[in-house]
Amino acid sequence: MNVDYRFTLLNTFVKIIKEFRFGSLIERIVYRDEIDTKYEEYIHSKIEFKSRDRGVLGIVTSLDFSLKLTAELLEIDKDSPSLCENDFDALKELANITCAHFLTDLYGNEIKFNLSIPELFRITKEEWKRIVEKIGFGLIIDEEPVVIYVNLDTV
């Protein structure tokens, strides 16, 4: 990924996280050797986009962070019985909003993109390690690792 894309993506993501009321919980940017692999399972949301250029934007994080995100958006306690263990729609919405803002930040308003419906799936610790190794950096937000990436094919 071009460094300029990563810079734009990181700035866009931080801006969105602040809108999600997690801005004060962003602790730091971390590099691959600092990203924790303490969980056996992680959650991965990705969304495809296409127009003149095409690509995929993904957010990968702990199940815990995804549940915290959902609880924050629903304005309920993370330990509330109304929060289902598999309730990760907020992460899909975060991917959707981040993608739209990233594309606008990168291309402006003149180019229109078609976005897919965000996908969501669980991944293993080994898959997490491969993503971290490939992307090379992430964020620590509320003590949880978050990796965001974009694969962009320009025409």
Side-chain angles (χ1 to χ4, degrees), residues 4-155:
D4 294 338
Y5 299 161
R6 289 197 290 187
F7 182 73
T8 301
L9 179 61
L10 188 59
N11 282 335
T12 301
F13 185 69
V14 167
K15 176 177 65 177
I16 299 303
I17 284 293
K18 287 179 179 178
E19 290 175 14
F20 271 68
R21 297 186 292 254
F22 274 87
S24 64
L25 301 176
I26 298 173
E27 296 171 29
R28 65 189 184 282
I29 296 174
V30 289
Y31 297 95
R32 69 174 55 98
D33 57 339
E34 300 173 274
I35 298 176
D36 201 351
T37 57
K38 63 184 174 184
Y39 301 110
E40 292 301 316
E41 198 173 37
Y42 294 83
I43 195 89
H44 185 176
S45 181
K46 70 177 184 176
I47 183 169
E48 295 180 10
F49 54 88
K50 63 182 173 178
S51 183
R52 181 188 74 197
D53 297 336
R54 62 180 38 212
V56 175
L57 181 140
I59 301 172
V60 192
T61 189
S62 67
L63 278 68
D64 223 31
F65 179 78
S66 188
L67 289 174
K68 288 177 186 179
L69 184 65
T70 300
E72 181 66 30
L73 289 178
L74 295 176
E75 297 181 349
I76 60 174
D77 185 37
K78 181 187 169 289
D79 299 320
S80 169
S82 62
L83 186 62
C84 174
E85 181 179 304
N86 294 312
D87 197 354
F88 301 116
D89 284 346
L91 190 63
K92 291 192 320 189
E93 187 59 23
L94 180 59
N96 188 34
I97 292 168
T98 301
C99 186
H101 282 259
F102 166 72
L103 293 171
T104 300
D105 290 348
L106 194 62
Y107 292 97
N109 291 320
E110 286 72 41
I111 298 176
K112 302 297 180 206
F113 282 85
N114 293 318
L115 305 181
S116 70
I117 296 172
E119 296 177 68
L120 189 72
F121 43 96
R122 292 174 185 242
I123 63 171
T124 65
K125 180 189 280 192
E126 290 71 33
E127 291 169 302
W128 166 258
K129 287 178 181 178
R130 283 193 293 274
I131 290 170
V132 166
E133 186 62 32
K134 180 178 179 182
I135 304 307
F137 74 98
L139 294 166
I140 300 298
I141 303 174
D142 197 19
E143 301 179 7
E144 297 294 334
V146 180
V147 172
I148 182 163
Y149 68 89
V150 66
N151 295 325
L152 183 62
D153 297 324
T154 57
V155 177

